[in-house]
Amino acid sequence: MEPRQQMQRAGDANPFDLGSTLDDQARAQIMSAADAVVNELGPRVARNVVVSRMATSWNAGHRLPLCLVKVGLDAAHA
């Protein structure tokens, strides 16, 4: 197994800390949107960056799925 695959598998269990301000429903919606972005763009996308930016957007009040996907795409291309 390549080191990148090992890192990705290790990161799958807990890719980052979403923070204590998000409930389970918020985390599920963010992870669903992040999965959509990562699946579309491929494994080279830094999943933790995408999820972190989505969580920040969520906390700022931008909670619609389309908003989360836009933030994720912007984060992936930054």
Side-chain angles (χ1 to χ4, degrees), residues 5-78:
Q5 289 174 328
Q6 289 174 345
M7 286 180 14
Q8 185 177 7
R9 286 193 181 184
D12 286 345
N14 185 11
F16 65 98
D17 181 17
L18 284 172
S20 61
T21 61
L22 300 176
D23 61 16
D24 290 339
Q25 182 181 6
R27 289 175 191 242
Q29 289 180 353
I30 291 168
M31 295 306 288
S32 176
D35 288 343
V37 170
V38 172
N39 288 338
E40 185 65 28
L41 298 179
R44 295 182 189 221
V45 174
R47 181 182 178 82
N48 59 339
V49 173
V50 170
V51 176
S52 177
R53 298 243 180 117
M54 285 182 177
T56 300
S57 178
W58 181 279
N59 285 331
H62 306 284
R63 298 178 177 170
L64 295 174
L66 186 58
C67 293
L68 294 175
V69 170
K70 181 185 179 314
V71 168
L73 291 171
D74 290 345
H77 292 295

